[in-house]
Amino acid sequence: MKYGMNTLLFEARFTNNAVGNFPRFKEIGFDGVEIALQEKGDIDTSLVKDKLSENGLVCGSLCALVGAGTDLRGPDKAVIESGKQYIRDLVDTAVELGAKVIVGPLYSAVGRADLIADEQRKIDWKLVKSGLKDVCGYAEDKGIFLALEPLNRFETDFMNIAEDALRMIDEVGSPMLKVHLDTFHMNIEEKSSADAIRAVGDKLYLLHASENDRGAPGTGQVDWSGIGKAVKDIGYDRWVVIESFTPEVEIIAKAASIWRQTEKDGWALAEKGLKYIKTLFGE
Ligand code: LER
Ligand code: MN
């Protein structure tokens, strides 16, 4: 197993300055970093790659931050185009950094959650399917995987459970389109997180480890023992990435409704969480 830290714990916008955290990531015991990239121009990829290797780390994945202006659901054509361009930019950045997979809710903006008519839902599904087909063609040429992350009902009305993601990847039909699961979202939406992992099986390309209160994995109510067994059952051996947030990173705190500290600070959270998931999932 490989263990990563998502950069949103420390900064809403990852820029070159954020490489200052790399030595501590290594010291704590992470194998790599999941970079949450807002815009391609935010980083100098050769500098980031050098700093990663100087510290014995890799960038295993990029986490997409999809907003209202870059939504494959549109409604405007310009918004759909920006959404596709954002994903293509992430693919290019992944190639430059040596990352293999782009993860997150690539299908729609985080926080877009409304009661909409079934007819509109069908239209949105078709739009996203066509957008994903398009960007998957680009990802195929570059050899980068795209993994769709179902989010909880308060953050999207579009894809809440693993079954939705499986249906989308089946309909798109690209070998590069996979599934990304997050223990926090599964804990809210799935009947059983363990069964969801088993249903996804070898299409699981990344797992976010996060507690039910978005705090350190292992400190709350998530069914870690069931998840540990399911991960073993499917022979999952890719990245497990801690994704947690603290009120100190204000933009993300607002977006993810993080109103209180669950540990002393982000570093305490990262250290405690990593120790737990390493024991659970093993080497
Ligand atoms: C958001 O709740 C989340 O889980 C992230 O991975 C999406 O960027
Ligand atoms: Mn997540």
Side-chain angles (χ1 to χ4, degrees), residues 7 14 22 33-37 43 48 52 59 61-63 97:
T7 57
F14 186 92
F22 291 176
V33 184
E34 176 170 285
I35 296 178
L37 193 67
I43 55 168
V48 173
L52 285 164
C59 173
S61 46
L62 292 178
C63 174
L97 289 176

Side-chain angles (χ1 to χ4, degrees), residues 19-256:
V19 302
N21 284 334
F22 291 176
R24 195 136 179 217
F25 287 154
K26 182 65 185 177
E27 196 187 303
I28 290 175
F30 287 101
D31 302 305
V33 184
E34 176 170 285
I35 296 178
L37 193 67
Q38 214 158 81
E39 264 183 65
K40 192 183 180 182
D42 284 351
I43 55 168
D44 170 350
T45 48
S46 62
L47 178 141
V48 173
K49 206 171 172 201
D50 284 352
K51 289 291 168 192
L52 285 164
S53 61
E54 257 176 44
N55 288 287
L57 297 165
V58 295
C59 173
S61 46
L62 292 178
C63 174
L65 296 170
V66 179
T70 51
D71 193 327
L72 293 184
R73 284 169 85 181
D76 301 350
K77 272 206 172 121
V79 169
I80 295 171
E81 264 322 302
S82 304
K84 289 197 258 186
Q85 190 53 47
Y86 174 55
I87 296 172
R88 285 192 289 260
D89 285 349
L90 290 177
V91 168
D92 292 342
T93 308
V95 171
E96 287 170 25
L97 289 176
K100 295 281 172 280
V101 58
I102 293 163
V103 305
L106 298 162
Y107 46 84
S108 186
V110 176
R112 184 166 172 180
D114 294 305
L115 186 60
I116 58 169
D118 284 351
E119 260 328 289
Q120 187 58 47
R121 201 165 286 291
K122 282 183 192 142
I123 293 169
D124 287 6
W125 186 268
K126 268 192 174 167
L127 277 178
V128 172
K129 189 160 97 180
S130 137
L132 285 173
K133 270 192 183 165
D134 192 331
V135 293
C136 279
Y138 193 76
E140 280 165 32
D141 291 343
K142 307 269 177 170
I144 300 293
F145 293 99
L146 307 178
L148 303 177
E149 179 186 37
L151 299 184
N152 75 78
R153 66 191 64 194
F154 306 106
E155 293 180 43
T156 186
D157 59 58
F158 190 81
M159 188 174 282
N160 297 136
I161 53 176
E163 197 182 309
D164 297 334
L166 287 172
R167 182 159 72 93
M168 181 59 86
I169 69 172
D170 187 48
E171 289 185 26
V172 171
S174 164
M176 304 319 277
L177 197 58
K178 306 290 180 187
V179 181
H180 158 205
L181 294 174
D182 180 320
T183 57
F184 167 81
H185 299 298
M186 286 196 287
N187 182 63
I188 296 174
E189 298 299 338
E190 302 287 353
K191 295 291 188 195
S192 154
S193 299
D195 288 349
I197 289 169
R198 281 191 202 94
V200 171
D202 63 2
K203 295 187 182 70
L204 183 63
Y205 265 55
L206 194 123
L207 183 68
H208 270 172
S210 194
E211 197 47 87
N212 65 287
D213 60 357
R214 274 300 195 194
T219 58
Q221 305 193 63
V222 162
D223 174 22
W224 293 107
S225 100
I227 288 170
K229 283 193 199 100
V231 159
K232 210 169 191 183
D233 287 350
I234 65 167
Y236 182 80
D237 196 24
R238 297 188 172 95
W239 287 90
V240 178
V241 173
I242 293 186
E243 185 190 52
S244 287
F245 314 109
T246 70
E248 286 151 17
V249 183
E250 288 179 18
I251 299 171
I252 301 302
K254 174 81 183 93

